[in-house]
Amino acid sequence: DIDHLNLRVQKELVEWLNWLKADIGFDGWRFDFAKGYSADVAKIYMDRSEPSFAVAEIWTSLAYGGDGKPNLNQDQHRQELVNWVDKVGGKGPATTFDFTTKGILNVAVEGELWRLRGTDGKAPGMIGWWPAKAVTFVDNHDTGSTQHMWPFPSDRVMQGYAYILTHPGTPCIFYDHFFDWGLKEEIDRLVSVRTRHGIHSESKLQIIEADADLYLAEIDGKVIVKLGPRYDVGNLIPGGFKVAAHGNDYAVW
């Protein structure tokens, strides 16, 4: 165990971080298991190493109901993520992985896409509150891969990417999905749509529909994404939009 309150530990870790920056060329940090030490300590490391980007792993269980499924309201869960960024410095480069969105998406794609519209009509994860500070993802080395601790439904992974790669937040692509699962071309197509239309972390999201079998949203008035098996949605798509990417139970206009 590392005693992060020990001044010598802090001093030596800061020196190491600055060595990684100056000598090795790293310019951003990932704070692993950030629940293991206070945000005040993380702020010390941030302030004294001045990275251009930093993301924290704050992995807490969602709130579950008696049916074993996540509650619709996950405000307490995403509030914890927002609080960490606030304490470390909301105006700086600190972000957190959007575990709230990950957890809700895991369940939503299994025929419960209504979960993707919160009670306020916005996205139910951290991206609904503070998208500029939310790093979205479908799986990572802990949740998926060989550890398989909280995996995304494997047959619906591309629905997850269709969501995060068209939505606000800073999307993160999992190595395994890109290189090992044969999804490179499909993911690339979604990335190119995001890049071509200038979708960014603070893009404006308008949720058009969120039913069990259909989620439809417009981003920045430029891109429309559909998740779910419902096929006939033509009456909901404004004129002038053409399909730019599509796959199993998803499409992007």
Side-chain angles (χ1 to χ4, degrees), residues 79-141:
Q79 187 65 56
E80 185 177 6
L81 303 179
V82 166
N83 289 348
W84 188 91
V85 175
D86 258 335
K87 289 179 181 176
V88 173
K91 293 182 179 178
T95 66
T96 64
F97 286 112
D98 191 349
F99 275 92
T100 318
T101 290
K102 151 72 172 165
I104 293 169
L105 260 179
N106 267 24
V107 181
V109 297
E110 300 274 32
E112 299 182 3
L113 290 164
W114 49 266
R115 292 179 176 275
L116 296 179
R117 177 160 55 193
T119 53
D120 59 0
K122 299 179 180 179
M126 188 182 177
I127 59 170
W129 279 0
W130 204 356
K133 297 296 183 180
V135 175
T136 51
F137 67 105
V138 174
D139 264 327
N140 63 26
H141 62 283

Side-chain angles (χ1 to χ4, degrees), residues 45-65:
Y45 299 142
M46 289 286 293
D47 291 348
R48 296 180 188 174
S49 65
E50 298 183 340
S52 61
F53 177 78
V55 58
E57 179 202 43
I58 303 165
W59 186 355
T60 307
S61 176
L62 298 180
Y64 287 89

Side-chain angles (χ1 to χ4, degrees), residues 17 21-22 24 31 35 64 75 86 94 97-98 105-106 115 119 128 139 158 169 174 188 218 228 240-241 244 252:
L17 290 171
K21 265 183 71 180
I24 308 300
F31 288 98
K35 287 170 62 73
Y64 287 89
D75 287 357
D86 258 335
F97 286 112
D98 191 349
L105 260 179
N106 267 24
R115 292 179 176 275
T119 53
D139 264 327
M158 282 309 304
F174 186 35
D188 266 341
E218 187 173 312
F241 281 85
V252 177

